Amino acid sequence: QVQLVESGGGLVQPGGSLRLSCAASGSIFSINAMGWHRQAPGKERELVARITSGGSTNYGDSVKDRFTISRDNAKNTVYLQMNGLKPEDTAVYYCNARGRLYSFEDFASWGQGTQVTVSS
């Protein structure tokens, strides 16, 4: 009932930048929070960044001061600006959102993921 479509991943050299986008669509009444997690091969999925509808943010320790999350509530879209990328940032990045549908059911959805590779 809720679809999340990510874009913006790719290959970048160390020290470079990428901007990820994630648009939510469906029978969405409201979105409480949107965010990004990532999963590298052989590792557990970890929080990258999260933002609430009111604009409160929190970040994983490894990306603080390098990544910035923002959102456009009118477009149900979240962005992740990634600067100063390092090889250890290489992972599949997953968008997620939770909120309420017009049917008053709560939802929690994940995107399919977008690959980010940092390599020279």
Side-chain angles (χ1 to χ4, degrees):
Q1 289 176 307
V2 175
Q3 296 79 42
L4 300 180
V5 178
E6 301 124 329
S7 61
L11 173 65
V12 64
Q13 293 186 342
S17 299
L18 280 176
R19 189 188 193 217
L20 304 182
S21 300
C22 173
S25 62
S27 302
I28 300 169
F29 175 72
S30 63
I31 298 180
N32 297 330
M34 299 186 77
W36 296 90
H37 282 65
R38 68 185 182 187
Q39 188 166 19
K43 295 188 176 181
E44 294 186 354
R45 191 172 295 192
E46 64 175 357
L47 171 70
V48 177
R50 180 186 296 119
I51 185 168
T52 69
S53 58
S56 297
T57 59
N58 61 294
Y59 294 89
D61 289 340
S62 62
V63 306
K64 286 179 180 177
D65 301 323
R66 297 189 298 124
F67 291 9
T68 302
I69 190 170
S70 61
R71 64 186 281 181
D72 184 332
N73 290 335
K75 296 181 179 180
N76 287 337
T77 299
V78 65
Y79 307 95
L80 184 68
Q81 179 65 44
M82 305 185 292
N83 299 328
L85 284 160
K86 305 174 181 180
E88 50 264 42
D89 294 317
T90 296
V92 178
Y93 284 69
Y94 296 93
C95 175
N96 58 85
R98 58 180 177 82
R100 181 155 291 182
L101 303 174
Y102 280 112
S103 62
F104 296 106
E105 295 176 75
D106 292 334
F107 74 88
S109 297
W110 290 84
Q112 293 298 307
T114 185
Q115 177 70 46
V116 171
T117 303
V118 185
S119 175
S120 55

mmCIF file of all heavy atoms in Angstrom, residues 53-103:
data_model
loop_
_atom_site.group_PDB
_atom_site.id
_atom_site.type_symbol
_atom_site.label_atom_id
_atom_site.label_comp_id
_atom_site.label_asym_id
_atom_site.label_seq_id
_atom_site.Cartn_x
_atom_site.Cartn_y
_atom_site.Cartn_z
ATOM 1 N N SER A 53 8.647 14.233 11.082
ATOM 2 C CA SER A 53 7.845 15.213 10.347
ATOM 3 C C SER A 53 8.104 16.625 10.853
ATOM 4 O O SER A 53 7.951 17.598 10.112
ATOM 5 C CB SER A 53 6.362 14.878 10.465
ATOM 6 O OG SER A 53 5.970 14.843 11.827
ATOM 7 N N GLY A 54 8.524 16.729 12.102
ATOM 8 C CA GLY A 54 8.824 18.042 12.666
ATOM 9 C C GLY A 54 10.236 18.524 12.396
ATOM 10 O O GLY A 54 10.593 19.640 12.767
ATOM 11 N N GLY A 55 11.038 17.666 11.761
ATOM 12 C CA GLY A 55 12.390 18.072 11.398
ATOM 13 C C GLY A 55 13.481 17.622 12.352
ATOM 14 O O GLY A 55 14.656 17.926 12.135
ATOM 15 N N SER A 56 13.142 16.904 13.396
ATOM 16 C CA SER A 56 14.167 16.390 14.297
ATOM 17 C C SER A 56 14.958 15.280 13.599
ATOM 18 O O SER A 56 14.379 14.447 12.910
ATOM 19 C CB SER A 56 13.541 15.844 15.571
ATOM 20 O OG SER A 56 12.875 16.863 16.284
ATOM 21 N N THR A 57 16.261 15.302 13.795
ATOM 22 C CA THR A 57 17.122 14.342 13.111
ATOM 23 C C THR A 57 18.005 13.583 14.094
ATOM 24 O O THR A 57 18.302 14.070 15.189
ATOM 25 C CB THR A 57 18.035 15.044 12.091
ATOM 26 O OG1 THR A 57 18.845 16.005 12.772
ATOM 27 C CG2 THR A 57 17.216 15.747 11.019
ATOM 28 N N ASN A 58 18.397 12.393 13.693
ATOM 29 C CA ASN A 58 19.473 11.709 14.392
ATOM 30 C C ASN A 58 20.261 10.890 13.370
ATOM 31 O O ASN A 58 19.726 10.488 12.332
ATOM 32 C CB ASN A 58 18.979 10.840 15.552
ATOM 33 C CG ASN A 58 18.047 9.741 15.130
ATOM 34 O OD1 ASN A 58 16.956 9.990 14.669
ATOM 35 N ND2 ASN A 58 18.493 8.497 15.297
ATOM 36 N N TYR A 59 21.542 10.708 13.675
ATOM 37 C CA TYR A 59 22.481 10.106 12.731
ATOM 38 C C TYR A 59 23.270 8.976 13.397
ATOM 39 O O TYR A 59 23.504 8.983 14.609
ATOM 40 C CB TYR A 59 23.492 11.154 12.251
ATOM 41 C CG TYR A 59 22.893 12.260 11.432
ATOM 42 C CD1 TYR A 59 22.404 13.417 12.028
ATOM 43 C CD2 TYR A 59 22.834 12.162 10.035
ATOM 44 C CE1 TYR A 59 21.858 14.439 11.268
ATOM 45 C CE2 TYR A 59 22.299 13.174 9.271
ATOM 46 C CZ TYR A 59 21.809 14.308 9.906
ATOM 47 O OH TYR A 59 21.266 15.322 9.134
ATOM 48 N N GLY A 60 23.694 8.033 12.572
ATOM 49 C CA GLY A 60 24.632 7.047 13.054
ATOM 50 C C GLY A 60 25.973 7.708 13.339
ATOM 51 O O GLY A 60 26.341 8.689 12.674
ATOM 52 N N ASP A 61 26.694 7.192 14.312
ATOM 53 C CA ASP A 61 27.943 7.810 14.727
ATOM 54 C C ASP A 61 28.943 7.905 13.575
ATOM 55 O O ASP A 61 29.716 8.865 13.493
ATOM 56 C CB ASP A 61 28.571 7.015 15.878
ATOM 57 C CG ASP A 61 27.799 7.183 17.175
ATOM 58 O OD1 ASP A 61 27.036 8.163 17.294
ATOM 59 O OD2 ASP A 61 27.945 6.330 18.061
ATOM 60 N N SER A 62 28.949 6.938 12.684
ATOM 61 C CA SER A 62 29.969 6.895 11.633
ATOM 62 C C SER A 62 29.728 7.915 10.522
ATOM 63 O O SER A 62 30.617 8.140 9.701
ATOM 64 C CB SER A 62 30.040 5.494 11.027
ATOM 65 O OG SER A 62 28.803 5.145 10.429
ATOM 66 N N VAL A 63 28.557 8.537 10.493
ATOM 67 C CA VAL A 63 28.262 9.474 9.401
ATOM 68 C C VAL A 63 28.033 10.895 9.881
ATOM 69 O O VAL A 63 27.848 11.808 9.062
ATOM 70 C CB VAL A 63 27.036 9.015 8.573
ATOM 71 C CG1 VAL A 63 27.227 7.591 8.083
ATOM 72 C CG2 VAL A 63 25.749 9.166 9.360
ATOM 73 N N LYS A 64 28.033 11.095 11.188
ATOM 74 C CA LYS A 64 27.823 12.448 11.716
ATOM 75 C C LYS A 64 28.850 13.397 11.116
ATOM 76 O O LYS A 64 30.009 13.051 10.962
ATOM 77 C CB LYS A 64 27.932 12.430 13.240
ATOM 78 C CG LYS A 64 26.746 11.824 13.935
ATOM 79 C CD LYS A 64 26.936 11.825 15.444
ATOM 80 C CE LYS A 64 25.744 11.210 16.136
ATOM 81 N NZ LYS A 64 25.922 11.137 17.612
ATOM 82 N N ASP A 65 28.412 14.603 10.823
ATOM 83 C CA ASP A 65 29.258 15.674 10.285
ATOM 84 C C ASP A 65 29.627 15.467 8.826
ATOM 85 O O ASP A 65 30.318 16.303 8.239
ATOM 86 C CB ASP A 65 30.549 15.842 11.105
ATOM 87 C CG ASP A 65 30.276 16.166 12.555
ATOM 88 O OD1 ASP A 65 29.317 16.916 12.813
ATOM 89 O OD2 ASP A 65 31.009 15.656 13.417
ATOM 90 N N ARG A 66 29.211 14.352 8.220
ATOM 91 C CA ARG A 66 29.465 14.130 6.794
ATOM 92 C C ARG A 66 28.173 14.019 5.994
ATOM 93 O O ARG A 66 28.121 14.436 4.832
ATOM 94 C CB ARG A 66 30.289 12.850 6.594
ATOM 95 C CG ARG A 66 31.678 12.899 7.210
ATOM 96 C CD ARG A 66 32.501 11.691 6.787
ATOM 97 N NE ARG A 66 31.907 10.434 7.254
ATOM 98 C CZ ARG A 66 31.588 9.431 6.439
ATOM 99 N NH1 ARG A 66 31.772 9.533 5.135
ATOM 100 N NH2 ARG A 66 31.067 8.317 6.940
ATOM 101 N N PHE A 67 27.137 13.442 6.602
ATOM 102 C CA PHE A 67 25.870 13.231 5.915
ATOM 103 C C PHE A 67 24.817 14.176 6.480
ATOM 104 O O PHE A 67 24.831 14.496 7.678
ATOM 105 C CB PHE A 67 25.385 11.794 6.105
ATOM 106 C CG PHE A 67 26.197 10.738 5.411
ATOM 107 C CD1 PHE A 67 27.413 11.018 4.805
ATOM 108 C CD2 PHE A 67 25.746 9.430 5.383
ATOM 109 C CE1 PHE A 67 28.162 10.042 4.179
ATOM 110 C CE2 PHE A 67 26.467 8.427 4.760
ATOM 111 C CZ PHE A 67 27.679 8.739 4.160
ATOM 112 N N THR A 68 23.884 14.586 5.624
ATOM 113 C CA THR A 68 22.781 15.443 6.044
ATOM 114 C C THR A 68 21.477 14.897 5.481
ATOM 115 O O THR A 68 21.369 14.678 4.264
ATOM 116 C CB THR A 68 22.979 16.887 5.569
ATOM 117 O OG1 THR A 68 24.213 17.395 6.073
ATOM 118 C CG2 THR A 68 21.837 17.761 6.076
ATOM 119 N N ILE A 69 20.508 14.689 6.367
ATOM 120 C CA ILE A 69 19.196 14.222 5.936
ATOM 121 C C ILE A 69 18.229 15.396 5.922
ATOM 122 O O ILE A 69 18.305 16.289 6.782
ATOM 123 C CB ILE A 69 18.684 13.085 6.849
ATOM 124 C CG1 ILE A 69 17.438 12.431 6.246
ATOM 125 C CG2 ILE A 69 18.423 13.585 8.271
ATOM 126 C CD1 ILE A 69 17.016 11.143 6.950
ATOM 127 N N SER A 70 17.343 15.402 4.948
ATOM 128 C CA SER A 70 16.309 16.437 4.865
ATOM 129 C C SER A 70 15.074 15.808 4.233
ATOM 130 O O SER A 70 15.136 14.698 3.684
ATOM 131 C CB SER A 70 16.799 17.632 4.040
ATOM 132 O OG SER A 70 17.113 17.227 2.715
ATOM 133 N N ARG A 71 13.956 16.514 4.322
ATOM 134 C CA ARG A 71 12.745 15.973 3.730
ATOM 135 C C ARG A 71 11.850 17.094 3.228
ATOM 136 O O ARG A 71 11.894 18.221 3.729
ATOM 137 C CB ARG A 71 11.986 15.078 4.717
ATOM 138 C CG ARG A 71 11.445 15.754 5.939
ATOM 139 C CD ARG A 71 10.839 14.757 6.926
ATOM 140 N NE ARG A 71 9.498 14.325 6.526
ATOM 141 C CZ ARG A 71 8.759 13.473 7.225
ATOM 142 N NH1 ARG A 71 9.248 12.934 8.330
ATOM 143 N NH2 ARG A 71 7.551 13.138 6.816
ATOM 144 N N ASP A 72 11.029 16.725 2.252
ATOM 145 C CA ASP A 72 10.007 17.608 1.715
ATOM 146 C C ASP A 72 8.678 16.961 2.067
ATOM 147 O O ASP A 72 8.262 15.992 1.423
ATOM 148 C CB ASP A 72 10.181 17.758 0.202
ATOM 149 C CG ASP A 72 9.211 18.743 -0.407
ATOM 150 O OD1 ASP A 72 8.099 18.923 0.143
ATOM 151 O OD2 ASP A 72 9.546 19.322 -1.451
ATOM 152 N N ASN A 73 8.026 17.463 3.089
ATOM 153 C CA ASN A 73 6.793 16.835 3.561
ATOM 154 C C ASN A 73 5.696 16.867 2.502
ATOM 155 O O ASN A 73 4.899 15.934 2.389
ATOM 156 C CB ASN A 73 6.302 17.522 4.835
ATOM 157 C CG ASN A 73 7.201 17.228 6.025
ATOM 158 O OD1 ASN A 73 7.890 16.203 6.069
ATOM 159 N ND2 ASN A 73 7.226 18.133 6.990
ATOM 160 N N ALA A 74 5.655 17.933 1.727
ATOM 161 C CA ALA A 74 4.607 18.057 0.704
ATOM 162 C C ALA A 74 4.762 16.993 -0.379
ATOM 163 O O ALA A 74 3.767 16.578 -0.988
ATOM 164 C CB ALA A 74 4.653 19.443 0.086
ATOM 165 N N LYS A 75 5.996 16.555 -0.615
ATOM 166 C CA LYS A 75 6.258 15.559 -1.648
ATOM 167 C C LYS A 75 6.480 14.163 -1.074
ATOM 168 O O LYS A 75 6.770 13.232 -1.826
ATOM 169 C CB LYS A 75 7.477 15.970 -2.470
ATOM 170 C CG LYS A 75 7.298 17.253 -3.253
ATOM 171 C CD LYS A 75 8.559 17.576 -4.060
ATOM 172 C CE LYS A 75 8.374 18.846 -4.877
ATOM 173 N NZ LYS A 75 9.601 19.171 -5.664
ATOM 174 N N ASN A 76 6.377 14.027 0.248
ATOM 175 C CA ASN A 76 6.652 12.736 0.892
ATOM 176 C C ASN A 76 7.991 12.175 0.441
ATOM 177 O O ASN A 76 8.120 10.978 0.128
ATOM 178 C CB ASN A 76 5.533 11.723 0.606
ATOM 179 C CG ASN A 76 4.261 12.034 1.368
ATOM 180 O OD1 ASN A 76 4.290 12.703 2.389
ATOM 181 N ND2 ASN A 76 3.140 11.551 0.862
ATOM 182 N N THR A 77 8.984 13.033 0.417
ATOM 183 C CA THR A 77 10.308 12.662 -0.088
ATOM 184 C C THR A 77 11.374 12.985 0.942
ATOM 185 O O THR A 77 11.310 14.032 1.600
ATOM 186 C CB THR A 77 10.603 13.402 -1.397
ATOM 187 O OG1 THR A 77 9.624 13.028 -2.375
ATOM 188 C CG2 THR A 77 11.977 13.039 -1.924
ATOM 189 N N VAL A 78 12.339 12.084 1.066
ATOM 190 C CA VAL A 78 13.468 12.290 1.960
ATOM 191 C C VAL A 78 14.747 12.244 1.136
ATOM 192 O O VAL A 78 14.833 11.521 0.137
ATOM 193 C CB VAL A 78 13.486 11.238 3.089
ATOM 194 C CG1 VAL A 78 13.711 9.829 2.548
ATOM 195 C CG2 VAL A 78 14.533 11.581 4.141
ATOM 196 N N TYR A 79 15.718 13.042 1.551
ATOM 197 C CA TYR A 79 16.991 13.133 0.849
ATOM 198 C C TYR A 79 18.128 12.825 1.820
ATOM 199 O O TYR A 79 18.016 13.088 3.021
ATOM 200 C CB TYR A 79 17.190 14.532 0.279
ATOM 201 C CG TYR A 79 16.052 15.019 -0.583
ATOM 202 C CD1 TYR A 79 15.043 15.811 -0.037
ATOM 203 C CD2 TYR A 79 15.970 14.677 -1.926
ATOM 204 C CE1 TYR A 79 13.987 16.261 -0.809
ATOM 205 C CE2 TYR A 79 14.918 15.122 -2.706
ATOM 206 C CZ TYR A 79 13.927 15.910 -2.149
ATOM 207 O OH TYR A 79 12.881 16.337 -2.914
ATOM 208 N N LEU A 80 19.203 12.310 1.272
ATOM 209 C CA LEU A 80 20.410 12.096 2.059
ATOM 210 C C LEU A 80 21.590 12.634 1.271
ATOM 211 O O LEU A 80 21.964 12.068 0.238
ATOM 212 C CB LEU A 80 20.611 10.611 2.371
ATOM 213 C CG LEU A 80 21.789 10.294 3.280
ATOM 214 C CD1 LEU A 80 21.525 10.819 4.705
ATOM 215 C CD2 LEU A 80 22.086 8.791 3.322
ATOM 216 N N GLN A 81 22.132 13.740 1.738
ATOM 217 C CA GLN A 81 23.328 14.317 1.131
ATOM 218 C C GLN A 81 24.540 13.703 1.809
ATOM 219 O O GLN A 81 24.712 13.854 3.023
ATOM 220 C CB GLN A 81 23.336 15.828 1.292
ATOM 221 C CG GLN A 81 24.565 16.514 0.707
ATOM 222 C CD GLN A 81 24.660 16.380 -0.798
ATOM 223 O OE1 GLN A 81 23.663 16.543 -1.506
ATOM 224 N NE2 GLN A 81 25.846 16.085 -1.307
ATOM 225 N N MET A 82 25.368 13.033 1.018
ATOM 226 C CA MET A 82 26.534 12.345 1.563
ATOM 227 C C MET A 82 27.801 13.006 1.028
ATOM 228 O O MET A 82 28.045 12.989 -0.178
ATOM 229 C CB MET A 82 26.496 10.859 1.166
ATOM 230 C CG MET A 82 25.205 10.163 1.580
ATOM 231 S SD MET A 82 25.227 8.387 1.239
ATOM 232 C CE MET A 82 25.220 8.404 -0.552
ATOM 233 N N ASN A 83 28.571 13.588 1.926
ATOM 234 C CA ASN A 83 29.829 14.233 1.573
ATOM 235 C C ASN A 83 30.982 13.495 2.241
ATOM 236 O O ASN A 83 30.801 12.784 3.225
ATOM 237 C CB ASN A 83 29.816 15.691 2.020
ATOM 238 C CG ASN A 83 28.729 16.504 1.358
ATOM 239 O OD1 ASN A 83 28.354 16.251 0.204
ATOM 240 N ND2 ASN A 83 28.216 17.491 2.074
ATOM 241 N N GLY A 84 32.172 13.712 1.713
ATOM 242 C CA GLY A 84 33.336 13.079 2.318
ATOM 243 C C GLY A 84 33.222 11.569 2.371
ATOM 244 O O GLY A 84 33.605 10.942 3.361
ATOM 245 N N LEU A 85 32.755 10.974 1.293
ATOM 246 C CA LEU A 85 32.510 9.533 1.301
ATOM 247 C C LEU A 85 33.798 8.741 1.452
ATOM 248 O O LEU A 85 34.850 9.129 0.912
ATOM 249 C CB LEU A 85 31.761 9.115 0.045
ATOM 250 C CG LEU A 85 30.267 9.462 0.070
ATOM 251 C CD1 LEU A 85 29.676 9.492 -1.327
ATOM 252 C CD2 LEU A 85 29.515 8.473 0.945
ATOM 253 N N LYS A 86 33.681 7.652 2.183
ATOM 254 C CA LYS A 86 34.811 6.767 2.461
ATOM 255 C C LYS A 86 34.495 5.367 1.934
ATOM 256 O O LYS A 86 33.324 5.005 1.796
ATOM 257 C CB LYS A 86 35.052 6.693 3.970
ATOM 258 C CG LYS A 86 35.258 8.034 4.647
ATOM 259 C CD LYS A 86 35.353 7.859 6.164
ATOM 260 C CE LYS A 86 35.537 9.197 6.870
ATOM 261 N NZ LYS A 86 35.626 9.036 8.345
ATOM 262 N N PRO A 87 35.516 4.569 1.670
ATOM 263 C CA PRO A 87 35.253 3.193 1.212
ATOM 264 C C PRO A 87 34.351 2.413 2.168
ATOM 265 O O PRO A 87 33.548 1.591 1.709
ATOM 266 C CB PRO A 87 36.658 2.587 1.141
ATOM 267 C CG PRO A 87 37.550 3.746 0.839
ATOM 268 C CD PRO A 87 36.957 4.901 1.603
ATOM 269 N N GLU A 88 34.437 2.694 3.453
ATOM 270 C CA GLU A 88 33.594 1.979 4.412
ATOM 271 C C GLU A 88 32.131 2.401 4.359
ATOM 272 O O GLU A 88 31.289 1.811 5.046
ATOM 273 C CB GLU A 88 34.135 2.140 5.842
ATOM 274 C CG GLU A 88 34.431 3.557 6.256
ATOM 275 C CD GLU A 88 35.892 3.946 6.069
ATOM 276 O OE1 GLU A 88 36.487 3.586 5.023
ATOM 277 O OE2 GLU A 88 36.434 4.625 6.968
ATOM 278 N N ASP A 89 31.821 3.417 3.569
ATOM 279 C CA ASP A 89 30.416 3.792 3.353
ATOM 280 C C ASP A 89 29.764 2.924 2.282
ATOM 281 O O ASP A 89 28.554 3.023 2.055
ATOM 282 C CB ASP A 89 30.311 5.259 2.937
ATOM 283 C CG ASP A 89 30.734 6.217 4.030
ATOM 284 O OD1 ASP A 89 30.352 5.996 5.201
ATOM 285 O OD2 ASP A 89 31.450 7.190 3.723
ATOM 286 N N THR A 90 30.556 2.097 1.620
ATOM 287 C CA THR A 90 30.023 1.212 0.597
ATOM 288 C C THR A 90 29.002 0.258 1.191
ATOM 289 O O THR A 90 29.293 -0.454 2.159
ATOM 290 C CB THR A 90 31.161 0.411 -0.067
ATOM 291 O OG1 THR A 90 32.035 1.312 -0.746
ATOM 292 C CG2 THR A 90 30.608 -0.600 -1.058
ATOM 293 N N ALA A 91 27.801 0.262 0.630
ATOM 294 C CA ALA A 91 26.711 -0.549 1.155
ATOM 295 C C ALA A 91 25.482 -0.370 0.265
ATOM 296 O O ALA A 91 25.455 0.497 -0.606
ATOM 297 C CB ALA A 91 26.367 -0.142 2.590
ATOM 298 N N VAL A 92 24.488 -1.186 0.522
ATOM 299 C CA VAL A 92 23.165 -0.942 -0.041
ATOM 300 C C VAL A 92 22.413 -0.053 0.945
ATOM 301 O O VAL A 92 22.340 -0.368 2.140
ATOM 302 C CB VAL A 92 22.388 -2.246 -0.283
ATOM 303 C CG1 VAL A 92 21.001 -1.931 -0.828
ATOM 304 C CG2 VAL A 92 23.149 -3.148 -1.249
ATOM 305 N N TYR A 93 21.883 1.037 0.452
ATOM 306 C CA TYR A 93 21.181 2.009 1.291
ATOM 307 C C TYR A 93 19.669 1.826 1.101
ATOM 308 O O TYR A 93 19.166 1.845 -0.024
ATOM 309 C CB TYR A 93 21.599 3.427 0.927
ATOM 310 C CG TYR A 93 22.963 3.781 1.462
ATOM 311 C CD1 TYR A 93 24.106 3.176 0.960
ATOM 312 C CD2 TYR A 93 23.123 4.712 2.493
ATOM 313 C CE1 TYR A 93 25.363 3.462 1.463
ATOM 314 C CE2 TYR A 93 24.379 5.023 2.998
ATOM 315 C CZ TYR A 93 25.485 4.390 2.486
ATOM 316 O OH TYR A 93 26.735 4.693 2.992
ATOM 317 N N TYR A 94 18.982 1.671 2.216
ATOM 318 C CA TYR A 94 17.542 1.413 2.209
ATOM 319 C C TYR A 94 16.797 2.589 2.830
ATOM 320 O O TYR A 94 17.123 3.039 3.935
ATOM 321 C CB TYR A 94 17.213 0.157 3.017
ATOM 322 C CG TYR A 94 17.789 -1.108 2.452
ATOM 323 C CD1 TYR A 94 19.024 -1.581 2.871
ATOM 324 C CD2 TYR A 94 17.084 -1.839 1.500
ATOM 325 C CE1 TYR A 94 19.555 -2.745 2.354
ATOM 326 C CE2 TYR A 94 17.614 -3.021 0.977
ATOM 327 C CZ TYR A 94 18.849 -3.458 1.407
ATOM 328 O OH TYR A 94 19.372 -4.622 0.901
ATOM 329 N N CYS A 95 15.796 3.032 2.117
ATOM 330 C CA CYS A 95 14.904 4.057 2.636
ATOM 331 C C CYS A 95 13.809 3.380 3.463
ATOM 332 O O CYS A 95 13.389 2.259 3.155
ATOM 333 C CB CYS A 95 14.288 4.806 1.462
ATOM 334 S SG CYS A 95 13.041 6.014 1.902
ATOM 335 N N ASN A 96 13.336 4.053 4.489
ATOM 336 C CA ASN A 96 12.212 3.534 5.262
ATOM 337 C C ASN A 96 11.316 4.680 5.707
ATOM 338 O O ASN A 96 11.770 5.830 5.832
ATOM 339 C CB ASN A 96 12.699 2.727 6.467
ATOM 340 C CG ASN A 96 13.576 3.513 7.392
ATOM 341 O OD1 ASN A 96 13.102 4.214 8.266
ATOM 342 N ND2 ASN A 96 14.883 3.426 7.202
ATOM 343 N N ALA A 97 10.079 4.341 5.934
ATOM 344 C CA ALA A 97 9.104 5.343 6.368
ATOM 345 C C ALA A 97 8.053 4.664 7.232
ATOM 346 O O ALA A 97 7.722 3.499 7.024
ATOM 347 C CB ALA A 97 8.441 6.009 5.172
ATOM 348 N N ARG A 98 7.540 5.414 8.185
ATOM 349 C CA ARG A 98 6.419 4.907 8.990
ATOM 350 C C ARG A 98 5.432 6.040 9.206
ATOM 351 O O ARG A 98 5.810 7.200 9.308
ATOM 352 C CB ARG A 98 6.893 4.336 10.325
ATOM 353 C CG ARG A 98 7.663 5.272 11.216
ATOM 354 C CD ARG A 98 8.073 4.573 12.511
ATOM 355 N NE ARG A 98 8.885 5.428 13.355
ATOM 356 C CZ ARG A 98 8.414 6.355 14.175
ATOM 357 N NH1 ARG A 98 7.109 6.564 14.253
ATOM 358 N NH2 ARG A 98 9.228 7.073 14.918
ATOM 359 N N GLY A 99 4.175 5.654 9.236
ATOM 360 C CA GLY A 99 3.143 6.665 9.386
ATOM 361 C C GLY A 99 1.781 6.037 9.421
ATOM 362 O O GLY A 99 1.610 4.922 9.949
ATOM 363 N N ARG A 100 0.800 6.731 8.847
ATOM 364 C CA ARG A 100 -0.585 6.274 8.899
ATOM 365 C C ARG A 100 -1.226 6.396 7.522
ATOM 366 O O ARG A 100 -0.997 7.384 6.806
ATOM 367 C CB ARG A 100 -1.354 7.098 9.934
ATOM 368 C CG ARG A 100 -2.820 6.704 10.091
ATOM 369 C CD ARG A 100 -3.344 7.083 11.447
ATOM 370 N NE ARG A 100 -2.740 6.271 12.499
ATOM 371 C CZ ARG A 100 -3.075 6.387 13.782
ATOM 372 N NH1 ARG A 100 -3.971 7.281 14.163
ATOM 373 N NH2 ARG A 100 -2.498 5.630 14.676
ATOM 374 N N LEU A 101 -2.020 5.390 7.171
ATOM 375 C CA LEU A 101 -2.758 5.401 5.930
ATOM 376 C C LEU A 101 -4.100 6.119 6.094
ATOM 377 O O LEU A 101 -4.534 6.387 7.228
ATOM 378 C CB LEU A 101 -3.022 3.963 5.475
ATOM 379 C CG LEU A 101 -1.793 3.078 5.284
ATOM 380 C CD1 LEU A 101 -2.222 1.650 4.972
ATOM 381 C CD2 LEU A 101 -0.888 3.616 4.194
ATOM 382 N N TYR A 102 -4.762 6.385 4.986
ATOM 383 C CA TYR A 102 -6.108 6.981 5.035
ATOM 384 C C TYR A 102 -7.113 6.040 5.694
ATOM 385 O O TYR A 102 -8.148 6.483 6.182
ATOM 386 C CB TYR A 102 -6.572 7.350 3.637
ATOM 387 C CG TYR A 102 -5.988 8.648 3.140
ATOM 388 C CD1 TYR A 102 -5.076 8.668 2.096
ATOM 389 C CD2 TYR A 102 -6.337 9.859 3.731
ATOM 390 C CE1 TYR A 102 -4.529 9.846 1.647
ATOM 391 C CE2 TYR A 102 -5.784 11.054 3.285
ATOM 392 C CZ TYR A 102 -4.889 11.040 2.244
ATOM 393 O OH TYR A 102 -4.342 12.216 1.799
ATOM 394 N N SER A 103 -6.809 4.763 5.695
ATOM 395 C CA SER A 103 -7.659 3.781 6.378
ATOM 396 C C SER A 103 -7.408 3.775 7.879
ATOM 397 O O SER A 103 -8.001 2.976 8.596
ATOM 398 C CB SER A 103 -7.377 2.383 5.822
ATOM 399 O OG SER A 103 -6.031 2.016 6.078
#
